[in-house]
Amino acid sequence: MTARAQAGAATGDVTTGQPAAVQIELEGGPTGLPPEIRRQWVPPDLPKVKIPYNGGYEHFERLDVEESGRLVFRWTYRSRIAE
């Protein structure tokens, strides 16, 4: 997420009181996945995250757990990018 999007995440939606984005933590998956990728800003109601990595996609699904104020998404599987 860009710095501009992160700034918007802090502001949120005035009409609903919901944040525009929440910070999440990606758990599991490849050990080489950089720490800065493991922390993402996403819409608050997003159930799944797909991260492009090393010629494929790493898929993560939301858990009903919060750690350090972040939502946790656990790795579920990897798929390859179609060419």
Side-chain angles (χ1 to χ4, degrees), residues 1-14 16-24 40-44:
M1 180 176 264
T2 66
R4 181 175 161 195
Q6 287 179 359
T11 307
D13 183 346
V14 176
T16 65
Q18 290 285 342
V22 294
Q23 191 169 31
I24 65 168
Q40 301 277 326
W41 287 90
V42 300

Side-chain angles (χ1 to χ4, degrees), residues 7-69:
T11 307
D13 183 346
V14 176
T15 60
T16 65
Q18 290 285 342
V22 294
Q23 191 169 31
I24 65 168
E25 189 78 32
L26 301 178
E27 183 179 90
T31 57
L33 199 62
E36 60 273 9
I37 291 177
R38 291 190 178 275
R39 289 181 295 279
Q40 301 277 326
W41 287 90
V42 300
D45 57 349
L46 193 68
K48 297 179 182 181
V49 176
K50 181 171 78 170
I51 305 292
Y53 179 71
N54 202 20
Y57 292 105
E58 304 301 333
H59 297 259
F60 296 83
E61 291 188 18
R62 183 178 180 161
L63 300 178
D64 290 330
V65 175
E66 274 192 44
E67 288 182 9
S68 305

Side-chain angles (χ1 to χ4, degrees), residues 66-78:
E66 274 192 44
E67 288 182 9
S68 305
R70 295 182 180 116
L71 293 174
V72 177
F73 283 66
R74 181 167 291 149
W75 183 85
T76 52
Y77 66 98
R78 175 178 173 74

